[in-house]
Amino acid sequence: MAEALEVSPRNLIQGTHWPNIDLIGAQLNLYWAEFQVPVWRMQSKTWPLWDALTSGFADDRILDDYDIIFFDTPPALGYLTINALAAADILIVPLGASFLEFDSTGRFFDMLYSTFASIEEGENSQRRKLGLEDVKFVWDAVRTVVTRFDAAQQTDLANVIQAYFGDLMTIFRQDVTAMVGQAGEQVNGIYEADYRDFNRDTYVRGRETFDRTWAEVKELIVGAWWRDEQEAKMAKRRKISAPSADDLTRIEEEFRRETLNASNPALTPISQVFAEAAQSQPVVDADTRTQQASAQTAAAAYEAANGQGRLIENIALDDILADAMVRDRTVIDPGEMSELKASIAAHGLRLPIEVFRQTDADQPFGLISGYRRLWAVRELHGLTGDEKYKTIKALVRDPDALGGSFAAMVEENEVRASLSHYERGRIAVVAAQQGAFVSTEEAVSGLFSVASKAKRSKIRSFSLIFEELGDMLEFPENLKERDGLRLSTALRNGAETQLRDALAKVQPGSAESEWACLLPVVERFEINATTENRGGRPKKKAAEIGWAAQDTLHLSSGVTLQYGNDGQGYVIRLRGKGVDSALVERAMEHLRYLFEKE
């Protein structure tokens, strides 16, 4: 302890190979202060425990030697972090665009506010007894920075984070870059990295994302310096006091008394009308005008936020139709649902659901995203009967502004990375069937526009599986990507009838047994395709004319007819060369004649 008291911060400063950057390193023993600070505080009630770092730097006049000092704090709100936060002028909080980091950062700010409010309250009560000035913690700026940002997967959640933190969030989102990992392997910083060690595009993107992040931080620092400079200049000038509200009221009354009540013949008629109207207006004091202007500004901001869907409302559960759209998610894990309910019960719902207004339904709102959260709150209300679970936080969105309700729902779950390939293919088919898109091809392109070309190709393959076998598969969500691609290839080679026959003969009890009954058919068509591909251009084997199965009929024209039942009635599917809207319309006329015939 005696040796420690002889060490000053200046003794700990280490130079680096950069001439204008010095460093004070940390070590594990520093954590000992977390236990010793309370002991010192007990021995000296007036010692400001939060001010040790500031006092140490000030006493050694270190602050005069440097333009900027950065504190990199541990990820915990202990005595070390409190000292760094109290010493800082600007607070920068990085977070990734994931739900867990969003949630933990929100909790950090809650703890930060309550901790420093508690320190202020406790310290000021003692300082007032001793006749000392109150302590107040203020930062020049507080900003959160989204780091490791992947625009293809995290845009929607980043927008939610931006709306939640508002002005506390930086404009630029720092993109994820492979340059960080590669430079770290060479024990180098980003700005030490040699461009020859990287792909040119990787190097340019990596430097750019850090340059733009620093540009925003630098703007905050320079702005704080400018403000300090202006305040110093103003302190040297003569203080000019602004007129009070009473002074403004007195001036206005004197002006009105000096204004002639009679019409001024020198004024034009229209001027006289305006003068008389102005004189007839009641006198409003400055405070009232300020309140009216503030109310008008707040009302305009409220209307703008409401029109843009940025206001969080508490909506009754009974007013929300969860199945307003066919959902993209087909399986909800019971374990995950239990964890979600426990989290909501313990901490409340931090991320609101998204709904849209309905005009032709019994319930005024339809669900866009947040299906699991809605059902978790409903189940909590059923279990507890608590009034707080009768409503749920929601953002009322305009589906068209989000690119359509299907697109909004898919994008929300894509950000959460929880949809299987089959679920993606299924929602693309359903969106096309319900008229949101002209075809399944366009549905895939529209719903998954930010996905890579290879990923969209896989989704189209699983769309085919849903179209041809969706009514018979028991465990489609568990279909592995490689197996699903093999299955879609077999379907394109004409294996639909044999696959449906194979599924009709068994009642699989698991995903493995279901794939086992499909595998022989898939392998047989793979062998046939390999044989046919030898020696030239692949040729599709022509289907045999006539009934191929109980529900499938191949015609000599190349058209195939297939019927089935989708739960709402019988459906007839037509496919093949020459099938177009004109042919379907003629077929409908024949069916009309058949069913109207007595």
Side-chain angles (χ1 to χ4, degrees):
M1 183 66 182
E3 294 177 1
L5 292 174
E6 295 177 0
V7 178
S8 70
R10 189 173 292 279
N11 301 136
L12 302 176
I13 297 176
Q14 302 292 324
T16 66
H17 57 266
W18 292 287
N20 57 345
I21 297 178
D22 293 335
L23 179 71
I24 295 181
Q27 58 175 309
L28 188 59
N29 289 339
L30 187 61
Y31 198 74
W32 170 79
E34 295 286 355
F35 303 96
Q36 191 61 34
V37 166
V39 176
W40 292 335
R41 175 66 172 181
M42 292 294 294
Q43 296 172 355
S44 177
K45 297 291 186 182
T46 59
W47 177 61
L49 59 88
W50 67 89
D51 208 26
L53 187 59
T54 307
S55 300
F57 276 54
D59 292 344
D60 276 13
R61 305 187 64 82
I62 294 177
L63 300 178
D64 298 333
D65 296 342
Y66 297 92
D67 294 322
I68 305 172
I69 297 177
F70 289 94
F71 298 108
D72 185 11
T73 66
L77 199 58
Y79 291 110
L80 295 176
T81 303
I82 289 174
N83 265 270
L85 294 176
D89 298 308
I90 296 175
L91 179 59
I92 305 293
V93 182
L95 77 154
S98 69
F99 180 76
L100 289 178
E101 293 197 50
F102 171 38
D103 180 72
S104 62
T105 303
R107 296 179 192 279
F108 167 76
F109 279 114
D110 291 342
M111 293 171 59
L112 180 66
Y113 173 81
S114 59
T115 299
F116 278 91
S118 176
I119 293 175
E120 287 182 359
E121 181 181 357
E123 292 300 320
N124 290 335
S125 63
Q126 295 294 327
R127 293 173 71 87
R128 292 186 192 112
K129 294 178 183 179
L130 299 172
L132 301 176
E133 293 183 1
D134 284 357
V135 174
K136 186 172 180 63
F137 297 97
V138 178
W139 291 282
D140 292 337
V142 177
R143 293 291 185 275
T144 53
V145 184
V146 172
T147 61
R148 308 184 308 281
F149 175 64
D150 184 355
Q153 298 291 334
Q154 299 175 327
T155 298
D156 278 0
L157 185 55
N159 290 340
V160 172
I161 297 174
Q162 189 89 39
Y164 182 83
F165 286 117
D167 293 338
L168 295 180
M169 177 72 69
T170 58
I171 298 174
F172 179 67
R173 299 163 183 173
Q174 189 180 82
D175 297 321
V176 63
T177 170
M179 193 174 173
V180 173
Q182 295 179 34
E185 291 174 359
Q186 300 173 7
V187 199
N188 283 331
I190 291 295
Y191 292 99
E192 294 177 288
D194 189 335
Y195 70 92
R196 291 168 295 187
D197 296 335
F198 300 91
N199 173 279
R200 182 179 182 278
D201 291 338
T202 300
Y203 182 80
V204 170
R205 285 196 304 268
R207 282 294 299 266
E208 181 185 15
T209 190
F210 278 85
D211 287 345
R212 292 184 63 181
T213 301
W214 167 241
E216 285 204 53
V217 176
K218 181 180 178 181
E219 185 178 354
L220 293 176
I221 297 172
V222 174
W225 286 344
W226 180 87
R227 185 211 60 196
D228 292 342
E229 182 180 351
Q230 296 303 310
E231 289 179 351
K233 290 180 180 179
M234 291 300 295
K236 297 179 181 179
R237 299 178 182 176
R238 181 173 60 88
K239 184 177 181 182
I240 302 176
S241 59
S244 65
D246 292 338
D247 293 334
L248 291 174
T249 302
R250 176 178 52 79
I251 293 170
E252 286 187 358
E253 289 176 350
E254 291 177 356
F255 177 79
R256 285 176 175 273
R257 283 197 302 270
E258 294 172 359
T259 304
L260 295 176
N261 292 327
S263 299
N264 188 344
L267 298 176
T268 60
I270 188 64
S271 299
Q272 293 182 15
V273 172
F274 278 111
E276 293 171 358
Q279 292 176 7
S280 65
Q281 293 296 317
V283 178
V284 179
D285 59 70
D287 287 341
T288 303
R289 289 200 305 274
T290 301
Q291 293 174 2
Q292 290 174 346
S294 177
Q296 291 174 355
T297 302
Y302 176 87
E303 290 298 327
N306 189 35
Q308 296 169 8
R310 294 188 286 110
L311 290 182
I312 297 178
E313 303 180 23
N314 279 319
I315 298 178
L317 297 178
D318 294 337
D319 289 343
I320 302 173
L321 179 60
D323 299 319
M325 302 181 300
V326 177
R327 310 308 303 177
D328 53 355
R329 192 191 302 274
T330 60
V331 174
I332 296 180
D333 184 86
E336 293 180 358
M337 179 61 77
S338 298
E339 291 179 4
L340 179 59
K341 287 189 291 185
S343 174
I344 294 174
H347 309 295
L349 184 67
R350 296 190 65 88
L351 187 64
I353 65 173
E354 292 181 311
V355 299
F356 65 95
R357 298 189 186 277
Q358 300 186 118
T359 57
D360 54 353
D362 295 334
Q363 292 153 297
F365 299 99
L367 182 67
I368 294 178
S369 67
Y371 188 77
R372 293 195 315 149
R373 281 166 273 157
L374 176 62
W375 276 107
V377 174
R378 282 182 173 174
E379 290 184 12
L380 285 171
H381 181 253
L383 290 171
T384 64
D386 196 323
E387 288 293 316
K388 68 180 180 181
Y389 296 126
K390 289 186 69 174
T391 60
I392 188 170
K393 295 177 183 178
L395 292 167
V396 181
R397 300 290 201 185
D398 178 5
D400 295 333
L402 296 173
S405 53
F406 277 106
M409 172 182 60
V410 169
E411 286 176 2
E412 193 264 350
N413 276 331
E414 281 293 288
V415 168
R416 303 283 292 278
S418 57
L419 292 182
S420 66
H421 284 300
Y422 180 81
E423 288 172 324
R424 295 185 180 103
R426 170 183 172 273
I427 198 62
V429 175
V430 172
Q433 290 176 346
Q434 295 193 359
F437 297 92
V438 176
S439 64
T440 301
E441 187 81 13
E442 289 193 10
V444 173
S445 300
L447 294 176
F448 305 95
S449 57
V450 299
S452 64
K453 184 177 180 180
K455 185 175 181 179
R456 289 198 299 270
S457 176
K458 294 174 185 177
I459 295 172
R460 293 187 184 98
S461 296
F462 279 84
S463 298
L464 177 63
I465 295 173
F466 173 73
E467 287 181 307
E468 304 292 351
L469 304 175
D471 58 328
M472 299 190 72
L473 291 172
E474 296 289 338
F475 305 97
E477 295 84 6
N478 297 333
L479 196 59
K480 297 177 183 178
E481 178 182 313
R482 182 172 179 273
D483 295 340
L485 296 177
R486 294 175 66 188
L487 182 58
S488 64
T489 301
L491 287 170
R492 291 191 183 95
N493 290 333
E496 179 189 355
T497 302
Q498 290 87 333
L499 289 169
R500 294 181 69 87
D501 288 343
L503 289 171
K505 295 176 182 178
V506 297
Q507 291 291 330
S510 65
E512 291 75 14
S513 59
E514 187 171 63
W515 174 245
C517 77
L518 294 171
L519 184 58
V521 180
V522 172
E523 290 178 338
R524 184 162 65 251
F525 273 81
E526 286 175 342
I527 294 173
N528 292 341
T530 302
T531 304
E532 293 176 0
N533 285 340
R534 292 177 181 173
R537 185 184 299 275
K539 297 180 181 180
K540 187 174 181 180
K541 183 179 180 180
E544 296 181 2
I545 299 173
W547 289 94
Q550 188 177 358
D551 59 353
T552 305
L553 177 62
H554 298 296
L555 306 181
S556 58
S557 61
V559 175
T560 298
L561 305 177
Q562 184 181 31
Y563 73 86
N565 192 314
D566 65 354
Q568 299 179 353
Y570 285 96
V571 233
I572 299 177
R573 180 178 297 157
L574 295 78
R575 65 175 183 276
K577 187 177 179 180
V579 175
D580 54 18
S581 58
L583 179 63
V584 173
E585 288 176 3
R586 291 200 301 273
M588 291 291 289
E589 287 297 325
H590 283 286
L591 289 172
R592 176 185 175 186
Y593 171 78
L594 176 65
F595 287 114
E596 288 184 349
K597 184 177 180 181
E598 297 181 355

